[in-house]
């Protein structure tokens, strides 16, 4: 089970004004599951392909996929530190880390790595997922360094 | 030049640039118009002869969409293409137009592009984000938008991964910006012309780690037009034709989160395909015009085209190789990094390659320039179109 916190929790990153998903038939399953502490990806029963973002089909063979639950553990595959974003609300949050996380299970997802000194982020860094319930039934996954004390900074 | 196929072999006969880098009195549509007028004058073709039209749009509210522009310019086309692969659309257009001309769908194709990006929208293309505050985002971007990535950040993630896997350094990336700036110094129409050193680049403000301000392209106004026709029609036009020897396109992803290998672009597919079609090797290329949205774009595409092995781009670009006088002069007009970047640079790559092959590049002329490559990158290193042009017929 992934830790889920409320948007007003002191441990939650700033959320006000962030663009949010326009939920569709497929993504509805993913966002709702996240809000209940399950991080989902898709796997194809016919060809074994695993994917994220969720689609209405297997991107490899065109077949129909099953949902799978991720452990919430992963590593930083690549990242950047955004130091100039003129758009609100990010203009007031910079610098912050945008990263591609490779799930233990394979697929990758974009996120912010939070609760970390920016200089400590590196490729290969073990990270763990937590979810902020930004509105009822919509959970937004974030990631932070795995298995150690939170550091101030980051976002 | 007697067989039916060689008579319909595609050639570039006319090019035109609108005004740049700053043109506050022109809107996007006027950039298209001015560029077209200059391209027509360049080759001497009558506008009524044009029967194919290509335009990627990009302006606000679709004012310069292909169908709007075909009406505005009154192009009575029997073949039209508005493929939108981002800034590389124009390299894809050469591929598509070449096939259409060869197959007889049309005889004379006009491509136009125009943008008032700098004067009308300011300099924030790469660092403004793509969504408004609190907006609801549909489709694949709904999984990215909440996290505040920007255009520069996408390329920065590729650069970071390239550095991690291959030890590429900021100083090596800076070599690309320095080479291109040295060419901009020869271009009175370039946005930035003051001297630039590797130290200047690596000490400039970080925008999205590891990309500094001078790793990022300029934002300007500008427009361009190209006219292609058959080798047969080209015989009695004003200037010698430039031959399309090879053209290919490929896509690996669209959104940056879906890039499978952050160190390799679709140029690894389209580059070798275009070279093979042209029957040339990387070593045969006299000058290369690569979409320098960011320094990392050039480094990765050079590797993917086969100028060096994957991972060796950093050492390849050192020692002035990419400057005039070096083995492989890059972006001899000053590129998007220093000269002209109105949002979609692909057309300028083809126009500059043509200028070199015609021997019209003045101080920036590459001596004995016989074969040039133009390679455009669209999206987030997503869609790469590669074109090989030659002075002589294939
Ligand atoms: Zn499958």
């Amino acid at each position: 089970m992934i830790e889920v916190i409320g948007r007003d929790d002191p441990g939650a990153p700033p959320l006000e004004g962030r663009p949010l998903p326009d939920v569709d038939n497929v993504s509805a399953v993913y966002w709702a599951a996240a809000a209940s502490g399950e991080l989902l990806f898709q796997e194809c029963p016919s060809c074994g392909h695993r994917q994220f973002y969720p689609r209405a089909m297997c991107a490899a063979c065109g077949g129909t996929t099953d949902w799978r639950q991720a452990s919430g553990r992963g590593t930083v595959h690549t990242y950047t530190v955004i130091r100039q974003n003129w758009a609100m609300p990010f203009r007031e949050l910079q610098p912050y880390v945008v990263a591609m996380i490779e799930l233990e299970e394979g697929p990758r997802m974009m996120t912010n790595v939070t609760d970390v000194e920016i200089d400590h982020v590196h490729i290969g860094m073990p990270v763990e997922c937590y979810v902020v319930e930004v509105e009822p039934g919509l959970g937004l996954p974030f990631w932070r360094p795995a298995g150690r004390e939170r550091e101030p900074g980051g976002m | 030049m007697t067989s039916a196929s060689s008579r319909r072999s595609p050639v570039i006969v006319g090019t035109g640039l609108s005004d740049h880098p700053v043109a506050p009195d022109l809107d996007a549509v006027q950039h298209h118009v001015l560029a077209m007028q200059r391209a027509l004058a360049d080759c001497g073709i009558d506008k009524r002869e044009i029967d194919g039209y290509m335009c990627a749009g990009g302006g606000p509210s679709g004012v310069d969409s292909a169908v709007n522009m075909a009406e505005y310019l009154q192009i009575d086309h029997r073949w039209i293409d508005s493929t939108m692969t981002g800034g590389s659309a124009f390299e894809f257009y050469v591929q598509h137009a070449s096939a259409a001309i060869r197959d007889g769908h049309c005889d004379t194709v006009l491509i136009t592009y125009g943008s008032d990006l700098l004067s009308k929208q300011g300099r924030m293309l790469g660092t403004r984000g793509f969504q408004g505050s609190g907006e609801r985002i549909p489709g694949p971007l709904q999984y990215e938008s909440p996290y505040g990535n920007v255009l520069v950040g996408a390329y920065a993630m590729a650069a970071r991964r390239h550095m991690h896997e291959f030890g590429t350094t900021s100083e090596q990336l800076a070599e690309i910006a320095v080479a291109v700036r040295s060419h901009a110094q020869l271009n009175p129409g370039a946005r930035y012309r003051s001297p630039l050193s590797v130290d200047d680049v690596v000490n400039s403000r970080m925008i999205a780690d590891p990309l500094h301000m001078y790793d990022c392209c300029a934002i300007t106004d500008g427009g361009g037009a190209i006219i292609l026709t058959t080798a047969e029609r080209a015989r009695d036009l004003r200037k010698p034709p430039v031959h399309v020897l090879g053209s290919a396109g490929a896509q690996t992803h669209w959104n940056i989160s879906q890039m499978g290998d952050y160190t390799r672009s679709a140029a690894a597919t389209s580059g070798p395909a275009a070279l093979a079609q042209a029957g040339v090797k990387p070593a045969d290329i006299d000058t290369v015009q690569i979409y320098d949205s960011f320094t990392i774009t050039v480094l990765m595409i050079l590797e993917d085209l086969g100028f060096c092995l994957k991972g060796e781009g950093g050492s390849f670009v050192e020692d002035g190789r990419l400057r005039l006088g070096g083995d492989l002069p890059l972006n001899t007009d000053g590129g998007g990094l220093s000269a002209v970047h109105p949002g979609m640079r692909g057309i300028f790559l083809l126009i500059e390659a043509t200028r070199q092959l015609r021997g019209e590049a003045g101080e920036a002329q590459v001596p004995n320039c016989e074969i040039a490559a133009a390679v455009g990158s669209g999206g987030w290193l997503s869609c790469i179109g590669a074109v090989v042009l030659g002075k002589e017929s294939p």
Side-chain angles (χ1 to χ4, degrees):
Chain A
M1 223 42 184
I2 313 275
E3 182 192 357
V4 182
I5 59 177
R7 63 178 295 148
D8 298 324
D9 187 289
L15 292 161
E16 190 60 39
R18 283 187 197 239
L20 289 176
D22 184 356
V23 177
D24 56 60
N25 289 346
V26 175
S27 73
V29 178
Y30 170 78
W31 297 116
S36 68
E38 294 179 2
L39 183 67
L40 300 186
F41 64 93
Q42 292 175 314
E43 188 176 80
C44 177
S46 7
C47 79
H49 176 69
R50 292 175 169 187
Q51 64 189 21
F52 189 84
Y53 56 86
R55 293 166 159 99
M57 46 157 273
C58 167
C61 75
T64 305
T65 58
D66 294 333
W67 293 100
R68 289 273 180 269
Q69 204 171 320
S71 67
R73 289 184 296 271
T75 52
V76 173
H77 181 75
T78 188
Y79 72 99
T80 182
V81 180
I82 304 294
R83 298 182 190 271
Q84 185 172 314
N85 184 348
W86 295 102
M88 289 297 284
F90 300 104
R91 189 166 69 199
E92 292 184 345
L93 305 179
Q94 64 205 22
Y96 55 90
V97 177
V98 170
M100 290 302 304
I101 304 303
E102 187 163 297
L103 305 182
E104 209 169 51
E105 295 82 5
R108 296 187 200 133
M109 55 176 62
M110 187 179 282
T111 195
N112 301 130
V113 179
T114 69
D115 306 291
V116 65
E117 289 257 19
I118 276 174
D119 292 347
H120 292 176
V121 178
H122 58 269
I123 289 176
M125 181 183 216
V127 285
E128 63 189 21
C129 184
Y130 69 101
V131 169
V132 184
E133 189 168 23
V134 292
E135 53 192 46
L138 199 161
L140 194 57
F142 289 88
W143 294 70
R144 58 192 172 210
R148 56 186 173 87
E149 290 301 300
R150 294 188 199 177
E151 297 172 350
M155 184 181 249
Chain B
M1 287 289 288
T2 50
S3 77
S5 70
S6 63
R7 282 197 301 271
R8 291 204 67 85
S9 179
V11 294
I12 292 175
V13 291
T15 66
L17 294 167
S18 68
D19 293 344
H20 62 258
V22 188
D25 297 331
L26 298 179
D27 63 27
V29 169
Q30 289 173 297
H31 279 284
H32 284 262
V33 169
L34 195 52
M36 179 196 74
Q37 289 171 328
R38 289 172 179 169
L40 288 169
D42 187 49
C43 58
I45 277 183
D46 189 306
K47 182 169 87 68
R48 283 162 292 203
E49 211 182 302
I50 295 165
D51 60 355
Y53 182 58
M54 314 183 89
C55 172
S61 311
V63 289
D64 65 343
S65 68
V67 283
N68 264 327
M69 287 309 303
E71 174 187 281
Y72 192 103
L73 302 172
Q74 202 171 323
I75 305 298
D76 297 327
H77 61 80
R78 55 193 179 104
W79 182 88
I80 188 166
D81 186 340
S82 59
T83 299
M84 181 51 180
T85 57
S88 60
F90 308 94
E91 281 67 42
F92 284 78
Y93 287 174
V94 172
Q95 179 195 29
H96 299 183
S98 297
I101 289 169
R102 276 209 182 87
D103 287 353
H105 294 297
C106 53
D107 295 323
T108 302
V109 174
L110 169 70
I111 307 173
T112 67
Y113 170 67
S115 167
D116 50 14
L117 186 65
L118 174 60
S119 292
K120 295 297 191 321
Q121 296 169 61
R123 293 175 51 204
M124 297 186 289
L125 176 69
T127 55
R128 182 183 47 203
F130 293 96
Q131 293 83 34
S133 180
E135 205 175 314
R136 292 280 165 167
I137 309 301
L141 270 179
Q142 70 185 284
Y143 304 98
E144 298 185 17
S145 305
Y147 304 109
N149 197 23
V150 294
L151 185 66
V152 188
Y155 288 81
M157 287 198 288
R160 176 59 74 200
R161 188 72 205 179
H162 201 282
M163 289 176 164
H164 173 79
E165 288 193 23
F166 306 115
T168 310
T169 66
S170 288
E171 285 74 13
Q172 290 169 330
L173 290 176
E175 291 278 354
I176 293 165
V178 168
V180 171
R181 176 63 63 91
S182 72
H183 302 156
Q185 292 185 286
L186 305 174
N187 177 2
R191 179 85 169 106
Y192 300 112
R193 301 185 64 204
S194 54
L196 187 73
S197 69
V198 167
D199 279 351
D200 292 336
V201 178
V202 300
N203 291 319
S204 64
R205 194 158 47 87
M206 198 69 94
I207 304 292
D209 305 28
L211 297 181
H212 305 78
M213 184 174 72
Y214 289 125
D215 287 301
C216 304
C217 58
I219 296 293
T220 70
D221 301 321
I226 294 176
I227 297 171
L228 295 105
T229 187
T230 63
E232 182 168 52
R233 176 66 187 91
R235 279 182 206 158
D236 57 352
L237 294 176
R238 290 202 177 128
K239 294 191 179 155
V242 163
H243 300 263
V244 180
L245 305 182
S247 56
Q251 171 171 353
T252 44
H253 61 283
W254 182 247
N255 300 292
I256 191 65
S257 70
Q258 299 300 303
M259 190 164 182
D261 179 347
Y262 284 89
T263 69
R264 191 178 300 269
S265 78
T269 301
S270 57
L275 291 169
Q277 203 182 94
V280 301
K281 306 179 299 299
D284 300 324
I285 306 282
D286 298 309
T287 178
V288 65
Q289 311 295 327
I290 296 178
Y291 196 146
D292 49 351
S293 47
F294 302 93
T295 49
I296 184 64
T297 320
V298 172
L299 190 98
M300 282 173 56
I301 288 177
L302 284 169
E303 293 173 346
D304 293 337
L305 289 172
F307 284 103
C308 59
L309 294 176
K310 180 51 65 184
E312 293 181 356
S315 51
F316 180 82
V317 302
E318 286 177 334
D319 303 326
R321 190 194 296 265
L322 303 180
R323 299 186 209 182
L324 281 163
D327 294 347
L328 187 67
L330 165 80
N331 299 355
T332 43
D333 64 340
L337 287 165
S338 289
V340 185
H341 187 268
M344 291 166 60
R345 183 170 158 77
I347 199 163
F348 302 99
L349 308 172
L350 296 159
I351 292 171
E352 178 61 11
T354 299
R355 187 173 79 120
Q356 286 288 349
L357 292 166
R358 284 171 165 182
E360 293 178 339
E363 274 189 282
Q365 183 63 48
V366 174
N368 307 313
C369 188
E370 305 271 336
I371 297 173
V375 186
S377 167
W380 295 257
L381 291 160
S382 319
C383 298
I384 314 288
V387 176
V388 180
L389 300 174
K391 195 171 176 175
E392 305 298 331
S393 61

